[in-house]
Amino acid sequence: MVIFNLKHEQGSAEAEKFLADGQAILASIPTVSNFGVFSQTSVKNPYQYGFSMDFASQADYDFYNEHPSHTGFVKERWELEVTDFLEIDFQLKR
């Protein structure tokens, strides 16, 4: 999961395009499941948006992390449009 702010005004066409493109690109990576796009509702949290996804294993996460679609999205969109973020990686305790 990652929560983040964009340089675009919240709800703007540019912000909506970033979110839609992020979903289309990142969810298409074969090891990604349950991809979600979120808008913040709590006034206690300063981040506006979130992406969430699941991976079946560490190897699946590593595949995603190095996948050209992910690295390309980070370089071509994320680094240019995201102003701040917090990455939250959890492993299910069984």
Side-chain angles (χ1 to χ4, degrees):
M1 175 176 267
V2 63
I3 53 178
F4 56 94
N5 291 325
L6 295 172
K7 71 176 190 176
H8 312 297
E9 185 175 328
Q10 194 167 5
S12 67
E14 295 87 357
E16 294 304 313
K17 179 161 177 39
F18 179 91
L19 299 173
D21 290 350
Q23 182 170 17
I25 293 165
L26 301 176
S28 73
I29 299 171
T31 59
V32 172
S33 61
N34 301 319
F35 191 92
V37 177
F38 302 92
S39 292
Q40 185 59 251
T41 59
S42 174
V43 296
K44 298 175 187 177
N45 189 324
Y47 295 99
Q48 299 168 324
Y49 303 105
F51 286 159
S52 176
M53 61 199 85
D54 294 333
F55 301 95
S57 67
Q58 183 64 46
D60 284 355
Y61 172 79
D62 294 342
F63 178 86
Y64 158 81
N65 208 36
E66 298 301 321
H67 194 279
S69 294
H70 174 250
T71 58
F73 181 77
V74 169
K75 186 167 188 69
E76 297 165 15
R77 301 295 300 278
W78 188 269
E79 291 177 358
L80 302 175
E81 299 179 62
V82 172
T83 58
D84 54 308
F85 70 95
L86 175 62
E87 186 173 329
I88 307 165
D89 296 330
F90 292 107
Q91 184 174 21
L92 182 64
K93 294 293 258 182
R94 297 180 195 251

